[in-house]
């Protein structure tokens, strides 16, 4: 109710503002109605829903980030589209806003979907295939349902609509139609053009996140029609200033749109100039080919450019680079228990039990960013060996390896880096800022931001899920026990879906009446082990480093587990 009133308030606040500035779009048709497109005045090639207003006013808003690095593998935020809530991953490594639409055939049933028919906004449209927003000469792809007179790509699902197809380097995709509706983010609102997903591949789907919100530059958002990224659309609409900052922790974080949030930094910002491609695509910075590990420099010949990408869980390097790093570790850090076993546990995204005293023996990694070494990005062992959620004592190597790097990038700085540094994406001044983050920028997370059992119970241990009201709130524990109908942690059996409360209630009653805690523990242990096994990654490529493998003590490092990193692939622009 509160949020409804809040939202209504916003609408009343914004509608008069919007009404003045909107030059109404042309030849756009409402979704799923077979009316012929109406034509009106022509508009310039660029989508222009707004005239910029009050360019000098600094506009900022701070929003919650949900998710976590080893729990969810990504960070997401809640936005409203046409007044309807959707959870979108914040991805500074791509540029498209894509959301599941109500009619989506293969999207996850748990997805929160956007229903254009229920939109509360006058801006709601599906872009017609004959509208000039739908880019001409794009119909070469066999993925188009039809071609317009100008050779624009019409959607497979509806030949009157402009096609949308987002593809990533691993072949995962989402496709549908180009749509327009009002997007509300915190307290800002503007109509945006985005991709409505009507079908997607299994590997695009995420259990807790419905869509994706790309925050990089426009050249990555041609699917095949080029659309300005939503943040840029909002900047041009004059509702927000052209920079943002991100702070993440193991559990959630904060995103400030429009500025750097000083309250999240404990050191001053250091800036590195962006080495943007032409046209700009990723948030790229030059990187020195010297990587400092402990007190030695390791030369990595391929290192030239790196990108900062909130949509990538770990640091990503090529397999060759990883082998160089591993080789260096095997030469100099065999005093870390098990590191020089054959095979070493120091493998991409591997998780092992690692006591604090062993962690301390590991070196600090320093990446030198900027052509003039503007910034030394220091990653201590506690930064790049990530504590594993749900496995006390386990740490995961926060680096992963790809066979080949894409997009002119030699290293991707993902969430591993971003949970140590608050980053300022200073687009206006074409630079990236880094400052050490204050402890727990995510501790301000409000449990009511979570809506589903899994995200509430799994991702945020301080929150409890209420089976009856289906809400999430601060966990009120006595003696570490959260009484039914509230539940927290893996024991909530969220994977069972609607049966979870029944099963849970039954178990709880049974246990409290008859059996000792031992059986509960056993059930929980069995359950969580099964869940964990399901989530396990395939065995990574093994690295054979000949010669200098040394055997020290016989700790049990033989069977490492792996963190499941997300999207390390780049969006593939449509030809
Ligand atoms: C506002 O911006 C305009 C154009 O960018 C500039 O000419 C003007 O001086 C600015 N005003 C203030 C108060 O900064
Ligand atoms: C949005 O909220 C922020 C505080 O979080 C405030 O500074 C800003 O002025 C608000 N913007 C609008 C458009 O209401
Ligand atoms: C990045 O490196 C390239 C190649 O050395 C150089 O041409 C470019 O000016 C550098 N850019 C920045 C912003 O330092
Ligand atoms: C482990 O080896 C590194 C590198 O050789 C050295 O700097 C460090 O002091 C050693 N640590 C211990 C506890 O021996
Ligand atoms: C969390 O958000 C809800 C609704 O938005 C609000 O009523 C509540 O006071 C917030 N709680 C905290 C601790 O900020």
């Amino acid at each position: 109710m509160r949020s409804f009133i809040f939202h209504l308030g916003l609408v009343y606040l914004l509608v008069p503002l919007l009404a003045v500035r909107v030059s109404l779009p042309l030849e756009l048709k409402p979704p799923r109605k077979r009316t012929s497109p109406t034509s009106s005045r022509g508009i310039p090639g660029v989508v222009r829903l707004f005239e910029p207003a009050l360019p000098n006013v600094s506009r900022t808003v701070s929003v919650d980030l949900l998710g976590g690095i080893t729990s969810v593998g990504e960070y997401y935020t809640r936005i409203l589209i046409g007044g309807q809530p959707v959870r979108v991953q914040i991805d500074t490594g791509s540029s498209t806003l894509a959301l599941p639409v109500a009619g989506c055939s293969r999207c996850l049933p748990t997805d929160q979907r956007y229903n254009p028919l229920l939109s509360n906004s006058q801006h709601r449209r599906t872009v017609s295939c004959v509208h000039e927003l739908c880019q001409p000469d794009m119909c070469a792809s066999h993925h188009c349902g039809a071609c317009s007179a100008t050779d624009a790509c019409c959607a497979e699902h509806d030949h009157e609509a402009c096609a949308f197809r987002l593809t990533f380097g691993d072949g995962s995709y989402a496709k549908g139609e180009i749509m327009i509706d009002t997007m509300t983010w915190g307290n800002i609102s503007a109509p945006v053009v985005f991709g409505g997903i009507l079908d997607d591949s299994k590997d695009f789907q995420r259990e807790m996140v419905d869509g994706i919100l790309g925050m990089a530059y426009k050249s990555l958002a041609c699917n095949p029609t080029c659309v300005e990224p939503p943040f840029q659309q909002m900047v041009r609409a004059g509702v927000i200033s052209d920079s943002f900052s991100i702070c993440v922790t193991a559990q959630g974080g904060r995103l400030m749109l429009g500025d750097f949030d000083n309250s999240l930094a404990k050191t001053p910002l250091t800036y590195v100039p962006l080495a943007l491609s032409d046209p700009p695509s990723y948030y790229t910075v030059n990187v020195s080919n010297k990587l400092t590990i402990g007190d030695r420099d390791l030369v990595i010949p391929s290192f030239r450019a790196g990108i900062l990408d909130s949509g990538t869980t770990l640091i990503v390097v090529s397999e060759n680079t990883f082998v160089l790093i591993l080789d260096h570790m095997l030469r100099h850090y065999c005093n870390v228990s098990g590191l020089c076993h054959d095979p070493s546990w120091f493998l991409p995204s591997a998780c092992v039990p690692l006591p604090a005293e062993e962690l301390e023996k590991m070196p600090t990694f320093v990446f030198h960013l900027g052509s003039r070494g503007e910034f030394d990005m220091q990653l201590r062992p506690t930064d790049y060996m990530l504590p594993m959620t749900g496995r006390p004592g386990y740490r995961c190597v926060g680096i992963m390896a790809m066979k080949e790097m894409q997009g002119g990038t030699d290293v991707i700085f993902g969430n591993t880096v971003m949970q140590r540094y608050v980053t300022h994406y200073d687009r206006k001044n074409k630079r990236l800022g880094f400052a050490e983050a204050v402890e727990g920028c995510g501790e301000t997370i409000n449990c009511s931001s979570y809506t589903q059992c899994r995200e509430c119970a799994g991702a945020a241990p301080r929150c409890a899920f209420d089976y009856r009201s289906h809400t999430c709130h601060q966990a009120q524990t006595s003696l570490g026990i959260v009484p039914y109908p509230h539940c927290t942690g893996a024991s909530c059996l969220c994977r069972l879906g609607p049966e979870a409360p029944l099963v849970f209630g039954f178990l709880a009653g049974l246990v409290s009446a008859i059996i000792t805690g031992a059986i509960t523990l056993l059930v929980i242990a069995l359950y969580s082990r099964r869940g964990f096994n399901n989530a396990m990654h395939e065995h990574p490529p093994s690295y054979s480093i000949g010669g200098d493998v040394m055997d020290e003590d016989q700790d049990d490092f033989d069977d490492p587990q792996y963190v499941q990193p997300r999207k390390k692939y780049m969006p593939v622009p449509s030809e």
Side-chain angles (χ1 to χ4, degrees), residues 260 265 267-274 283 285 307-308 369-370 374-378 413 417-418 420-425 431-437:
F260 182 70
T267 61
L269 275 166
T270 307
Y271 283 102
V272 182
L274 280 167
Y283 293 102
V285 290
I307 64 168
L308 192 62
L369 305 193
E374 278 91 345
F375 178 60
D376 289 340
M377 177 193 284
Q378 298 200 9
F413 299 112
V417 168
M418 305 176 77
R420 161 111 159 105
Y421 293 104
V422 209
T423 45
H424 184 205
Y425 294 76
R431 57 186 188 166
L432 285 182
F434 297 83
E436 275 181 50

Side-chain angles (χ1 to χ4, degrees), residues 268-544:
L269 275 166
T270 307
Y271 283 102
V272 182
L274 280 167
L276 294 173
S277 55
D278 182 23
S281 53
Y282 299 103
Y283 293 102
T284 310
V285 290
N286 284 341
V287 177
S288 158
N289 64 1
K290 284 200 194 69
L291 169 61
T292 307
I293 301 182
D295 45 16
R296 296 179 189 84
D297 280 343
L298 171 65
V299 174
I300 300 184
S302 68
F303 265 20
R304 280 175 305 264
I307 64 168
L308 192 62
D309 177 11
S310 69
T312 295
T313 316
L314 307 178
I315 294 172
V316 183
V317 295
S318 70
E319 285 186 358
N320 289 340
T321 300
F322 195 89
V323 169
L324 288 178
I325 295 172
L326 175 57
D327 189 42
H328 186 91
M329 298 292 283
L330 294 178
R331 272 176 213 287
H332 302 293
Y333 295 94
C334 278
N335 58 2
V336 180
S337 179
L339 197 135
C340 294
H341 275 195
D342 186 14
S344 170
W345 54 256
F346 193 82
L347 291 178
S349 52
C351 306
V352 287
L354 196 66
E357 63 270 20
E358 299 301 326
L359 194 63
E360 275 167 18
K361 292 188 213 156
M362 297 186 70
T364 293
F365 284 64
V366 185
F367 293 89
H368 306 281
L369 305 193
S371 294
R372 294 193 208 92
E374 278 91 345
F375 178 60
D376 289 340
M377 177 193 284
Q378 298 200 9
L379 299 173
R380 303 158 299 189
T382 45
D383 301 321
Y384 66 84
M385 293 299 297
L386 306 165
M388 189 175 183
T389 304
R391 282 271 160 145
Y394 274 68
R395 296 244 171 201
C396 305
V397 178
I399 306 174
M400 64 168 291
M402 276 178 84
K403 248 196 170 47
E404 269 168 47
M405 301 298 289
Q406 306 167 328
T409 295
D410 311 305
V411 50
I412 304 174
F413 299 112
N415 302 146
T416 302
V417 168
M418 305 176 77
Q419 60 161 12
R420 161 111 159 105
Y421 293 104
V422 209
T423 45
H424 184 205
Y425 294 76
D426 190 354
R427 296 158 52 97
K428 208 157 130 192
N429 301 304
K430 298 194 169 53
R431 57 186 188 166
L432 285 182
F434 297 83
E436 275 181 50
V438 294
E439 289 307 313
C441 55
E443 266 161 32
T444 52
I445 280 284
N446 187 332
C447 292
S448 63
S449 301
Y450 294 101
T451 53
Q452 289 186 353
C453 177
R454 271 215 73 200
E455 57 179 5
C456 175
R462 288 171 295 103
C463 302
F465 188 70
D466 184 331
Y467 284 126
R468 280 189 303 212
S469 63
H470 290 263
T471 53
C472 185
H473 39 76
Q474 204 77 27
Q476 318 249 315
T477 67
S478 52
L479 305 170
I481 296 168
V482 180
Y484 183 84
H486 308 283
C487 171
T488 190
S491 56
C492 296
L493 309 175
C494 299
R495 272 166 203 260
L496 294 180
E499 271 72 57
L502 276 178
V503 178
F504 180 89
F506 175 75
L507 282 184
L510 194 69
V511 165
S512 58
I514 316 163
I515 316 178
T516 63
I519 291 180
T520 339
L521 287 178
L522 186 66
V523 172
I524 291 168
L526 283 177
Y527 173 77
S528 59
R529 168 157 307 181
R530 200 190 65 189
F532 185 78
N533 286 342
N534 288 345
M536 273 226 295
H537 216 242
E538 284 178 3
H539 220 66
S542 55
Y543 296 87
S544 45

Side-chain angles (χ1 to χ4, degrees), residues 4-299:
F4 177 65
I5 292 170
F6 167 68
H7 185 72
L8 261 190
L10 254 186
V11 171
Y12 285 121
L13 188 78
L14 287 164
V15 159
L17 287 173
L18 302 189
V20 185
R21 273 178 257 135
V22 173
S23 57
L24 262 178
L26 328 135
E27 294 190 334
L28 298 178
K29 70 188 187 83
R32 310 227 154 258
K33 265 198 218 146
R34 297 244 158 207
T35 53
S36 52
T38 53
S39 79
S40 59
R41 295 160 294 145
I43 51 167
V46 191
V47 186
R48 220 173 173 79
L49 294 168
F50 272 123
E51 289 309 318
L54 307 172
N56 300 350
V57 178
S58 165
R59 286 147 185 264
T60 64
V61 55
S62 175
V63 297
D64 274 349
L65 286 180
L66 314 175
I69 187 162
T70 57
S71 55
V72 183
E74 58 192 277
Y75 296 88
Y76 59 97
T77 185
R78 219 169 277 282
I79 58 172
L80 297 177
I81 294 283
Q84 303 161 36
V86 190
R87 299 161 302 179
V88 285
Q89 181 189 14
I90 293 301
D91 185 9
T92 60
S94 69
S95 305
T96 303
L97 171 61
L99 313 166
V101 173
C104 182
S105 54
R106 282 193 294 181
C107 298
L108 290 179
T110 50
D111 275 347
Q112 296 179 357
R113 298 172 184 209
Y114 159 67
N115 186 342
L117 300 177
L118 302 179
S119 170
N120 65 1
S121 161
Q122 50 167 339
H123 297 293
R124 187 224 351 132
R125 300 278 190 290
T126 293
V127 174
S128 156
C129 190
V130 299
H131 188 271
E132 60 187 283
L133 273 183
C134 198
Q135 206 156 316
D137 305 321
M138 283 293 166
C139 208
S141 155
H142 58 278
H143 293 304
C144 301
C147 300
S148 76
T150 58
D151 234 12
C153 183
C154 308
E156 287 170 49
H157 299 81
D158 174 357
H159 295 181
E160 285 183 34
C162 186
F164 166 74
R165 184 187 174 98
L166 174 64
T167 311
F168 288 100
D170 59 348
S172 63
Y173 66 85
K175 60 182 178 179
E177 303 168 357
I178 306 250
M179 300 181 165
I180 299 176
D181 207 331
T182 299
M183 166 170 156
T184 304
W185 203 357
N187 60 0
I188 57 169
S189 257
V192 296
V193 186
F194 63 94
I197 305 173
L198 288 165
D199 188 10
D200 62 9
S201 65
K202 202 155 178 47
D203 42 5
F204 180 82
Q205 298 162 355
R206 298 284 178 258
E207 204 162 350
M208 293 182 210
V209 186
D210 312 311
I212 187 166
L213 174 49
M215 303 275 287
Y217 291 92
K218 178 178 172 179
S219 68
L220 297 176
C222 296
N223 311 294
T225 287
C226 301
V227 168
E228 230 179 4
F231 182 74
Q232 209 170 314
Q233 294 181 49
M234 292 181 131
V235 169
R236 224 161 26 72
V239 297
I240 199 82
S241 307
D242 197 10
S243 85
F244 59 91
S245 49
I246 295 180
C247 184
V248 302
T249 70
Q251 303 293 339
R254 292 206 74 73
L255 168 64
M256 180 175 257
L257 300 168
D259 203 355
F260 182 70
D261 189 345
N262 273 309
S263 69
L264 300 177
K266 64 180 178 198
T267 61
L269 275 166
T270 307
Y271 283 102
V272 182
L274 280 167
L276 294 173
S277 55
D278 182 23
S281 53
Y282 299 103
Y283 293 102
T284 310
V285 290
N286 284 341
V287 177
S288 158
N289 64 1
K290 284 200 194 69
L291 169 61
T292 307
I293 301 182
D295 45 16
R296 296 179 189 84
D297 280 343
L298 171 65
V299 174

